[in-house]
């Protein structure tokens, strides 16, 4: 398609480019008649204003980037919901990239967003990410950056998190308070900080309540999903017959476990109690309904963009910005699985 | 932040802008030594290449827009997954906007994407959308456009759909084949085409099998979600005591209904059979597991981008493009709720 410019419209009408530009933007100092003429001509020529380029005055693209491990996951899609709603309110568009938990892809996506001149980047790390030099580069280039949920402690930037260790401690303590004495843990992969912290919270709760930690009761759920929960539950039933409680790293894994127990006639919570994590709405719909920890996804999205916006605003005004870490509240939700 | 240009790097090193540009792009006709010098200087000055602007040679932004009614819905997040994966493979970034089922917002978002110069637009309509002049404008401006799932029959553009009427017919027939004689329908809002088509498929199946259609058995689930399913099921139990089957427009609504029946001791499928729609993975995890129609979200996303890509390619080469409608296969999935 041939590109139509302001110049062409101006030439066709025999007026100045400035007048055309002002007419299209509805400036008060252009007559109504001229505005109508210009708009008709623009429509006729199929003129499209070019605002995708970096705004030359403000040097802003009004576009931000979001890198997220996966989009098909209730927690992450809630975060996306919070981010895009908040961004739109402030006049920013969001480019969303999915790292599929791959470090290599995440690195490539960070470079891509930088080269696309986004005004800021929001990221939740892939499970495989250890080296954070790609994020250090974002910082060096002075591109505003906020990490959320899966963060790196080594990175000096704004972060929106929950206190995973404390929340996991509370969840495990709830199982202990309900009378459980042999508590298994379905944990996530070895690297992500939130997976480590939830494991440590579980361990600490056992120790504080006189229960000896037994590493054979810890099962790794690499993708923390429904299938992983099914497999871990099956393995647990083969390995141990005395476990009376499970703290699962996600509701998905917990629901997988419940489906195995339902199938085999093992009664939840009479024979075994189960705690999830995240408070996915389905957790209240299954039988028995699942006790869990509420992890505020939508709120995390809103706060992530708000913090990024603050940094972008400071950068625009050439002001110093001190990175902040915001910790969101979690809540223990008691239902019928414990 | 002050903008660093190729010119500054060239001036600092006393070489030409062309050489700087070539060095940064690793052209073979620039010496290794010069490349190193240029790259060091670029790093020192925090130079960022500007590729966010429309590429002047190809007139492409390599960015496409996606407008979707909601992101926190398993079907739609699966579509997003398919779209962004496919787009990234072809070197395109995706801006995602959520219309929240609002016509007004959807219209604004279409204008915004046009003004941002995206190379193409993918859209699933909001429930409230009747007037499609905003989409006709996309067409007039020759911006490639693909509609998916919730489409408008009045719009002449490419579409990726399923045969909702046929799929609903099959689902209802499955209830009839299982012995149901009084079948209720939890339908969606009145406007969306897929909601209309699923209703018509339900009605036709009844008529073809000698069952009189009774409009009092049709309940509207405005948001087709879990809460809607709960409310419709409660209302149904108040209104009728002879219903022995339900065809719900989504798995979510069906699962809401199951939770009501479980709570009240009504046995599924012995007292009442339930069919869902979409084959959300949770539908196999609940008790009883839900019979449903598989609606391929991920595949719909992949096909939507592929079709958009074809149109963008044709447009780039100034070739004619004939809009296509692709109908994806659905599958009846029999589980324990029927």
């Amino acid at each position: 398609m041939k590109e139509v410019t302001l110049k062409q419209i101006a030439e066709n009408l025999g007026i100045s480019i400035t007048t055309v530009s002002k007419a299209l933007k509805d400036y008060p100092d252009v007559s109504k008649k001229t505005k109508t003429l210009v708009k008709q001509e623009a429509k006729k020529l199929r003129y499209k204003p070019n605002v995708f380029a970096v705004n030359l005055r403000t040097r802003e693209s009004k576009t931000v980037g979001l890198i997220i491990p996966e989009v098909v996951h209730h927690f992450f899609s809630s975060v996306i919901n919070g981010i895009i709603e908040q961004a739109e309110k402030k006049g920013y568009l969001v480019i969303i990239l999915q790292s599929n938990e791959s470090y290599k892809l995440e690195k490539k996506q960070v470079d891509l967003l930088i080269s696309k001149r986004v005004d800021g980047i929001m990221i939740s790390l892939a499970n495989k990410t250890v080296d954070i030099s790609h994020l250090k580069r974002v910082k060096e280039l002075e591109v505003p950056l906020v990490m959320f949920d899966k963060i790196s402690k080594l990175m000096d930037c704004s972060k929106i998190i929950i206190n995973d260790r404390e929340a996991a401690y509370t969840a495990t303590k709830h199982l202990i308070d309900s009378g459980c004495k042999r508590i298994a843990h379905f944990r996530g992969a070895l690297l992500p900080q939130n997976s480590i912290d939830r494991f440590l919270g579980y361990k600490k709760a056992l120790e504080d309540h006189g229960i000896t930690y037994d590493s054979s009761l810890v099962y790794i759920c690499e993708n923390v999903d429904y299938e992983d929960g099914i497999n871990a539950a099956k393995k647990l039933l083969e390995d141990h017959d005395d476990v009376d409680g499970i703290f699962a790293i996600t509701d998905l894994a917990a629901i997988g476990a419940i489906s195995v127990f339902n199938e085999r006639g093992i009664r939840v919570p009479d024979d075994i109690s189960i705690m999830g994590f995240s408070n996915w709405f389905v957790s209240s719909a299954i039988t028995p309904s699942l006790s869990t920890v509420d992890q505020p996804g939508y709120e995390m999205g809103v706060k992530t963009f708000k913090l990024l916006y603050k940094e972008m605003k400071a950068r625009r005004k050439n002001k110093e910005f001190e990175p902040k870490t915001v910790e969101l509240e979690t809540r223990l939700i008691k239902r019928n699985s414990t």
Side-chain angles (χ1 to χ4, degrees), chain A:
Chain A
M1 179 179 50
K2 202 170 147 283
E3 198 66 19
V4 175
T5 60
L6 289 180
K7 198 174 157 212
Q8 274 171 272
I9 300 173
E11 276 172 7
N12 288 7
L13 298 173
I15 58 177
S16 75
I17 295 176
T18 313
T19 308
V20 172
S21 170
K22 280 184 172 175
L24 289 173
K25 282 176 191 150
D26 266 330
Y27 272 49
D29 58 341
V30 178
S31 74
K32 215 169 167 182
K33 198 183 146 203
T34 309
K35 278 181 192 167
T36 310
L37 274 175
V38 169
K39 283 176 185 170
Q40 275 172 356
E41 189 67 17
K43 201 177 169 189
K44 206 179 102 196
L45 294 176
R46 291 178 182 155
Y47 169 76
K48 282 182 285 182
N50 185 354
V51 299
F52 200 54
V54 173
N55 184 311
L56 292 177
R57 192 174 53 77
T58 62
R59 294 286 175 199
E60 282 193 300
S61 65
K62 285 282 182 187
T63 307
V64 293
L66 167 64
I67 300 174
I68 203 156
E70 41 175 336
V71 297
V72 188
H73 186 297
H74 185 260
F75 172 70
F76 284 132
S77 55
S78 302
V79 175
I80 293 177
N81 189 6
I83 287 179
I84 63 180
E85 272 194 23
Q86 198 56 35
E88 197 168 358
K89 270 186 201 159
K90 296 286 185 183
Y92 284 81
L93 291 179
V94 185
I95 287 171
I96 303 178
L97 292 163
Q98 177 174 254
S99 66
N100 280 326
E101 304 286 6
S102 151
Y103 163 66
K104 214 176 130 191
L105 195 53
E106 177 184 296
K107 193 171 165 333
K108 209 183 114 196
Q109 290 170 336
V110 166
D111 289 343
L112 187 63
L113 289 175
I114 291 175
S115 77
K116 281 278 181 182
R117 295 255 171 154
V118 292
D119 295 334
I121 294 175
M122 294 160 284
I123 188 168
S124 182
L125 295 182
N127 281 344
K128 301 280 154 56
T129 300
V130 187
D131 180 357
I132 52 159
S133 53
H134 56 312
L135 298 172
K136 292 205 164 140
R137 199 174 150 239
V138 174
K139 182 98 183 156
E140 271 168 33
L141 289 168
E142 295 182 3
V143 176
L145 175 69
V146 180
M147 302 183 98
F148 62 92
D149 189 47
K150 298 207 283 179
I151 58 135
S152 163
K153 293 203 167 163
L154 304 172
M155 189 66 203
D156 176 32
C157 69
S158 288
K159 289 161 197 165
I160 309 278
I161 51 170
I162 57 167
N163 192 328
D164 282 292
R165 203 177 297 199
E166 200 179 281
Y169 185 98
T170 308
T172 311
K173 185 173 176 297
H174 171 60
L175 286 168
I176 297 169
D177 291 346
S178 329
C180 300
K181 305 211 180 306
R182 280 284 276 172
I183 303 172
H185 178 36
F186 291 0
R187 65 165 288 165
L190 291 177
L191 288 177
Q193 194 61 49
N194 63 359
S195 165
I196 294 170
D197 285 338
R198 289 181 203 170
F199 165 71
L200 292 174
Y202 154 78
K203 199 159 166 259
K204 183 84 171 34
L206 296 184
E207 286 161 6
D208 284 358
H209 295 83
I211 298 175
T212 315
Y213 164 69
D214 175 354
S215 65
S216 78
L217 295 180
V218 176
Y219 292 82
I220 294 183
C221 293
E222 199 66 44
N223 304 310
V224 302
D225 64 7
Y226 178 66
E227 282 300 318
D228 276 354
I230 289 178
N231 295 330
K234 284 183 180 165
K235 192 117 201 339
L236 175 76
L237 292 176
E238 278 168 28
D239 299 346
H240 301 277
D241 56 9
D242 56 349
V243 166
D244 54 10
I246 299 174
F247 165 46
I249 184 163
T250 58
D251 284 355
L252 272 173
I255 291 172
I258 287 179
S259 75
V260 170
F261 298 143
N262 278 348
E263 210 181 275
R264 303 207 179 172
I266 295 167
R267 294 164 307 160
V268 178
D270 303 326
D271 300 330
I272 192 162
S273 290
I274 304 184
M275 271 296 300
F277 200 106
S278 78
N279 195 28
W280 184 31
F281 70 100
V282 175
S283 60
S284 66
I286 54 160
T287 314
S289 60
L290 181 68
S291 297
T292 189
V293 173
D294 184 56
Q295 188 188 11
Y298 176 80
E299 191 192 346
M300 186 172 273
V302 169
K303 289 270 164 67
T304 297
F305 184 82
K306 280 192 172 170
L307 201 47
L308 185 76
Y309 182 75
K310 270 192 190 164
E311 189 172 347
M312 293 190 295
K313 212 168 131 187
R315 207 49 60 92
R316 211 160 55 220
K317 294 184 177 169
N318 277 315
K319 276 188 190 160
E320 276 299 307
F321 180 81
E322 195 58 47
K324 253 179 241 171
T325 293
V326 177
E327 207 178 274
L328 303 180
E329 291 276 323
T330 55
R331 230 164 11 103
L332 179 71
I333 295 182
K334 296 178 196 174
R335 295 206 186 95
N336 298 326
S337 68
T338 50

